[in-house]
Amino acid sequence: MTRGVSQQIALSVTGLPDGASASFAHETISAGETATMTVSASISTAPGTTQPSVVGTGTSATHITPVSLTVNAPAVIRAAFYYPWFPEAWTQQGLSPFTNYVPTRGYYSTDVSTVAAQIADLQYAGVTLGIASWFGQTSNTEKHWPAIIAAAQGTGFAWAPYYEKEGTSDPTPQQIADDLHYLRTTYGGAGSALASLPGKGMPVFVYNADDPTNAKGCDTVDRWNQARQLLQQEYAETIYIDLKVFPQYASCAGSPTIDGWHQYGPASAQQNFSTAPGDGSFSISPGFWKAGTTYGTAPFLARDRIRWQGNVAAMNASGAKWQLVTTYDEWGEGTAIESSSGCLTTVLSGTYCHWSGGGTVSDFVADLHNAPPPS
């Protein structure tokens, strides 16, 4: 509350820890009025107690009031895989649009206003981290990274890269290190929405290709451990590595030094790797129906809301560090939880095509909201 002669008071805050932001219900008030300040901490905010200050600046005086802010480390992080490649990806493989569904937002572009609405959607679902696809510096995904970073500024939401180059090639440790340094220097820094786990560095999820043996997989583990060392030696930067699992992944000599493991397999309703070495994960998928294929053609997963709600409950009960939603907006494979208004093709009666929930907050987002991750 402010006191004194009647004047306009501009409110601001200083001394917030990295990754935290503050907003006021009214940024300017009159002397004698009250205002509510809301502080949003991201997964990049270090746990602990700090003393930021609220500053009230009037025409005749400035008052500074210290406050106590305590941030607790999250026991669980709920994240969602996200694809910043629209509008380019709406047309591919001879199909336009490349999806079997009708997104409620239309065939949108990845611009700041659209991403801001999507982030609000994700935060409503209890998601605090977006794992954004990145295919390299000349890719369509890279082209839209400035928009997703800008849209997240000041929201408490953060982004981590999903490093896709590993799924199509075997980049050298130096290439990996240079790519990650590029991402950090381009999008990171104090107050950035590029995630940095306290004491661990930038989280990097890796889409490494499937392998029927563990030979190539173990080579991938070795290359990423070498890339981590190069980043530290050449740039004094640290990373948190989360690799995609492969057969016998835990038996590789370098696996104990990998921070976490996940599975990306949305044709299955859930993937439980909560007991994996390091930080485990539990992934859930609402469905899988790839564009251009007949409904029910394998690989395929029909949408079922009751099953989805059960998967969310199982994920919450798993104790996994990472709760992974596959996906928020991969419309081409039909795995999106973003709102849909119908199917593009004729399908059997009762097919789950419309999950808009009466608006842009979809049924699947609402179910996540109603079952928040354990605190």
Side-chain angles (χ1 to χ4, degrees), residues 65-297:
T65 303
V67 296
S68 181
L69 173 66
T70 299
V71 175
N72 297 318
V76 172
I77 300 173
R78 183 175 288 178
F81 292 97
Y82 179 91
Y83 292 85
W85 54 23
F86 297 110
E88 296 82 8
W90 294 122
T91 300
Q92 55 180 300
Q93 300 180 35
L95 296 175
S96 185
F98 188 72
T99 177
N100 291 313
Y101 297 106
V102 181
T104 303
R105 287 192 171 94
Y107 302 113
Y108 54 77
S109 297
T110 306
D111 54 33
V112 173
S113 60
T114 298
V115 180
Q118 293 174 321
I119 287 172
D121 212 23
L122 286 159
Q123 289 181 308
Y124 186 75
V127 173
T128 55
L129 180 74
I131 305 171
S133 178
W134 192 78
F135 278 87
Q137 296 182 39
T138 61
S139 66
N140 286 329
T141 50
E142 159 64 16
K143 182 168 68 174
H144 297 297
W145 260 67
I148 69 172
I149 293 292
Q153 293 299 122
T155 65
F157 191 82
W159 295 101
Y162 200 24
Y163 191 91
E164 304 264 15
K165 291 169 72 172
E166 188 66 62
T168 58
S169 63
D170 295 326
T172 66
Q174 188 66 60
Q175 288 175 317
I176 295 168
D178 290 345
D179 279 341
L180 299 184
H181 176 65
Y182 165 81
L183 285 170
R184 187 190 294 272
T185 55
T186 304
Y187 302 111
S192 169
L194 182 67
S196 180
L197 298 178
K200 298 180 180 179
M202 180 176 71
V204 182
F205 285 75
V206 184
Y207 186 80
N208 38 296
D210 290 317
D211 181 31
T213 72
N214 70 339
K216 184 177 179 180
C218 288
D219 176 66
T220 300
V221 171
D222 292 340
R223 285 186 290 104
W224 276 84
N225 279 327
Q226 293 169 38
R228 188 208 300 271
Q229 294 172 359
L230 288 172
L231 270 169
Q232 179 63 48
Q233 293 166 2
E234 297 179 4
Y235 304 116
E237 295 172 355
T238 56
I239 55 171
Y240 173 103
I241 302 171
D242 199 300
L243 293 179
K244 182 179 175 295
V245 298
F246 51 87
Q248 304 176 56
Y249 69 96
S251 66
C252 298
S255 290
T257 58
I258 299 298
D259 300 289
W261 297 88
H262 72 280
Q263 177 61 290
Y264 190 99
S268 297
Q270 64 180 42
Q271 302 276 358
N272 186 356
F273 286 88
S274 57
T275 60
D279 293 331
S281 65
F282 195 109
S283 306
I284 57 173
S285 168
F288 184 96
W289 178 23
K290 192 169 183 177
T293 62
T294 304
Y295 188 83
T297 302

Side-chain angles (χ1 to χ4, degrees), residues 1-2 11 25-26 28-37:
M1 177 177 286
T2 58
L11 299 175
H26 302 283
T28 301
I29 61 174
S30 297
E33 294 181 336
T34 61
T36 300
M37 178 179 74

